[in-house]
Amino acid sequence: MTDAVFAGGSASPGQSTTVGIVVNPVDGTVLDSFPLASAGDVDAAVRAAARALPEWSALPPVERSSALLRLATRLQERAAEYALVETRQAGKPIRLTTGFDIPGSIDNVAFFAGAARNLDGKAATEWDGDHTSVIRREPVGVVGSIAPWNYPLQMAMWKILPAVAAGNTIVLKPAEITPLTSLMLAEDCAAAGIPAGVVNVVVGTGPEAGEALISHPDVAMVSFTGSTGVGKRVMQLATESVKRVHLELGGKAPFVVFDDADLEAAVHGAVAGSLINTGQDCTAATRAYVQRPLYDAFIAGVADLFTGIRLGDTEDPDTDLGPLVSRRQAERVAGFVERARRDGARVLAGGRAPGGDLAAGAFYEPTVVVDAAQDSEIVRDEVFGPVLAVLPFDSDDDGLRLANDTVYGLAASAWTTDIFRGLRAQREIRAGTVWINDHIPIVSEMPHGGFGQSGFGKDMSTYSFDEYTHIKHVSLDVTGQARKPWHRTIFTEPT
Ligand code: NAD
């Protein structure tokens, strides 16, 4: 039975009366069930993080960096184990976890080991001639982080790494349905010599453990990745104690195909970009806008490739697509498609849960929806499943207007062979990431974060240090004068 708490360097059972159940969505097998963390467990974890803060934040950056390098080595040694656990708890094909989730996470650790030694600021100088100005970047304190279930290990990494690299300590609450790799990570942080209390994990529900963490008086900052609805609640709770807030929220990424695009590239890009992680990716392509001359060929090409995607056993390396994370999520996706159908949209491929051997799992077939209205639910709201809505457009102005016609702004792509169309699209589309002729690839060196209701602040890259550090201006008098010229504002001269 899993211990729901890893705090102050050791694991312990959760004290909540609520039981957490971890299920393999490929067939509904229960992997584990255990008591979750209570508000009291959260309090103990925050206190452990507060105790560890003075020593960890005072370490020379090179020592924090060395600890992260040891962690990277340890994760590399256990990569296959992490991949299997991630595959089972989240229903991800093993090809995805071994090729993307786990190596991506290890690369993040290696990146932040280097970045820990590279905090930047302006050069020290005497801006007014009389004082030397120095910029310090100081850790914010104890960070309370809350992560979603779609990329359990990667999301834990995106929260933990910039925080601890910059000298903060952290209490992470992973999603209670996919907690296993976050708990493994906490143990590996300890095994790598990261001091007790620097990285703490509490597995509990949002309303019980999550809200206790956000509201805790000793938590200086809240970093949240999840849905926009819960993000609003997080922000409300954080206002009580004026905590710093970093929100990575939902997305509804547009995929704009101009009529000069390479059709084969756009079709393959749309299939991979919408189906990655069974569509449970905040940056996944969800709304394809295709200029009228390419529209028919595009929808036919995507529908054809969608029907060839192999759903199945997530531990088989030949499986292309796994189930949704849970039955509940599969039913939610099915509900979106049913309502779209009812409102007059057509389903060109998929549109149902497969039967046969897959009936016990949370599967849903890759689905192409056409003829949905721009203001319909399936085009405006986050489905978070293997569903791509495709709509035509006429002028370039229309395509870019439709791409921006959303409350979200996390990611987007534009497809064209005309450099000037590409340059226009990257400038005019409002999103934290814009790809030209691709959709999905990310790198540790570059920031990830949203505009609009996709939130604010950045994960990954050295830009993330802007979230996890306070900037302090230190001003040092260089004149040695007892009576300074600016005192004239108070004293009449001469005194
Ligand atoms: P969710 O908002 O339901 O849950 C996210 C986390 O918040 C979970 O750990 C959950 O337990 C916790 N939570 C729920 N209610 C809470 C409350 N009242 N107080 C505190 N914590 C609470 O999201 P999800 O369903 O786990 O994940 C999918 C969502 O995450 C999608 O909207 C997706 O777009 C988003 N997401 C965004 C990014 C990004 O970088 N912007 C990355 C991954 C996922």
Side-chain angles (χ1 to χ4, degrees):
M1 197 164 69
T2 300
D3 284 325
V5 178
F6 190 96
S10 60
S12 58
Q15 300 299 314
S16 173
T17 50
T18 310
V19 171
I21 302 176
V22 183
V23 173
N24 186 340
V26 82
D27 57 7
T29 311
V30 174
L31 298 172
D32 208 345
S33 68
F34 52 91
L36 291 171
S38 65
D41 293 324
V42 170
D43 178 55
V46 171
R47 281 189 283 115
R51 278 196 302 278
L53 184 65
E55 197 181 323
W56 179 250
S57 60
L59 281 181
V62 65
E63 292 191 30
R64 291 197 287 268
S65 169
S66 302
L68 291 177
L69 287 173
R70 292 193 298 275
L71 176 64
T73 305
R74 200 168 161 81
L75 295 178
Q76 196 72 60
E77 287 160 7
R78 296 186 71 191
E81 207 182 323
Y82 270 95
L84 192 57
V85 175
E86 198 78 323
T87 282
R88 289 184 176 157
Q89 71 170 352
K92 291 165 183 273
I94 195 79
R95 228 167 61 216
L96 180 67
T97 51
T98 52
F100 185 71
D101 294 71
I102 310 305
S105 297
I106 296 170
D107 184 67
N108 266 209
V109 184
F111 172 79
F112 277 104
R117 305 173 67 176
N118 194 23
L119 294 178
D120 63 2
K122 283 206 177 237
T125 194
E126 293 71 44
W127 297 100
D128 64 356
D130 289 346
H131 304 82
T132 301
S133 285
V134 175
I135 289 295
R136 296 175 60 88
R137 270 188 187 266
E138 298 186 349
V140 177
V142 175
V143 177
S145 284
I146 298 181
W149 45 256
N150 61 337
Y151 290 100
L153 184 65
Q154 290 205 74
M155 294 302 102
M157 291 294 193
W158 288 15
K159 301 282 129 199
I160 292 170
L161 293 168
V164 302
N168 303 278
T169 58
I170 186 167
V171 178
L172 172 81
K173 192 204 86 61
E176 60 275 30
I177 58 170
T178 54
L180 303 179
T181 45
S182 299
L183 289 165
M184 287 166 69
L185 175 62
E187 280 172 13
D188 278 329
C189 286
I194 295 177
V198 173
V199 175
N200 308 277
V201 173
V202 287
V203 181
T205 66
E208 188 173 3
E211 298 206 1
L213 184 58
I214 299 162
S215 308
H216 199 291
D218 295 337
V219 168
M221 168 182 171
V222 179
S223 171
F224 171 81
T225 300
S227 60
T228 297
V230 176
K232 290 177 183 172
R233 171 80 181 141
V234 170
M235 205 164 165
Q236 266 171 359
L237 289 170
T239 56
E240 274 306 307
S241 45
V242 198
K243 288 186 169 65
R244 183 180 283 203
V245 179
H246 169 207
L247 298 176
E248 296 283 357
L249 308 178
K252 190 73 189 173
F255 184 103
V256 183
V257 183
F258 292 102
D259 59 12
D260 60 68
D262 175 336
L263 183 65
E264 184 188 358
V267 166
H268 280 80
V271 173
S274 63
L275 296 185
I276 176 111
N277 206 34
T278 315
Q280 301 163 116
D281 182 311
C282 50
T283 64
T286 59
R287 308 176 277 143
Y289 297 104
V290 184
Q291 210 155 17
R292 199 79 63 176
L294 289 189
Y295 181 74
D296 288 340
F298 180 88
I299 57 176
V302 171
D304 182 46
L305 288 180
F306 267 24
T307 47
I309 296 290
R310 288 162 302 188
L311 278 62
D313 177 4
T314 45
E315 291 175 42
D316 178 345
D318 287 335
T319 292
D320 299 325
L321 206 69
L324 280 301
V325 75
S326 64
R327 278 254 180 215
R328 191 161 152 239
Q329 186 65 14
E331 281 158 16
R332 185 172 180 273
V333 171
F336 270 101
V337 176
E338 281 322 306
R339 291 189 294 278
R341 267 195 182 112
R342 195 190 56 205
D343 294 344
R346 278 187 305 134
V347 172
L348 288 192
R352 63 186 187 102
D357 291 350
L358 302 182
F363 286 93
Y364 196 77
E365 289 183 355
T367 300
V368 186
V369 174
V370 297
D371 298 344
Q374 172 63 17
D375 63 359
S376 65
E377 177 197 61
I378 203 146
V379 177
R380 303 206 86 82
D381 295 345
E382 198 177 29
V383 178
F384 230 51
V387 179
L388 180 67
V390 191
L391 291 87
F393 69 91
D394 291 306
S395 69
D396 289 17
D397 286 350
D398 286 343
L400 294 171
R401 180 182 53 77
L402 289 165
N404 283 333
D405 182 23
T406 175
V407 296
Y408 297 112
L410 189 60
S413 65
W415 298 73
T416 177
T417 52
D418 177 340
I419 188 168
F420 297 108
R421 273 175 152 168
L423 287 171
R424 183 179 172 198
Q426 58 83 29
R427 190 178 62 196
E428 294 189 15
I429 294 177
R430 290 193 303 273
T433 299
V434 177
W435 292 279
I436 301 295
N437 294 326
D438 210 340
H439 195 113
I440 289 298
I442 50 173
V443 288
S444 299
E445 291 83 354
M446 285 289 127
H448 168 90
F451 291 14
Q453 291 194 24
S454 290
F456 45 82
K458 299 295 177 192
D459 282 327
M460 303 204 295
S461 81
T462 51
Y463 288 100
S464 62
F465 289 143
D466 291 344
E467 318 308 324
Y468 293 99
T469 56
H470 279 308
I471 293 178
K472 181 187 280 179
H473 171 214
V474 179
S475 179
L476 304 131
D477 171 57
V478 293
T479 67
Q481 295 170 332
R483 297 178 184 184
K484 305 193 196 304
W486 76 267
H487 290 178
R488 278 188 222 110
T489 56
I490 299 295
F491 299 110
T492 41
E493 291 291 323
T495 53

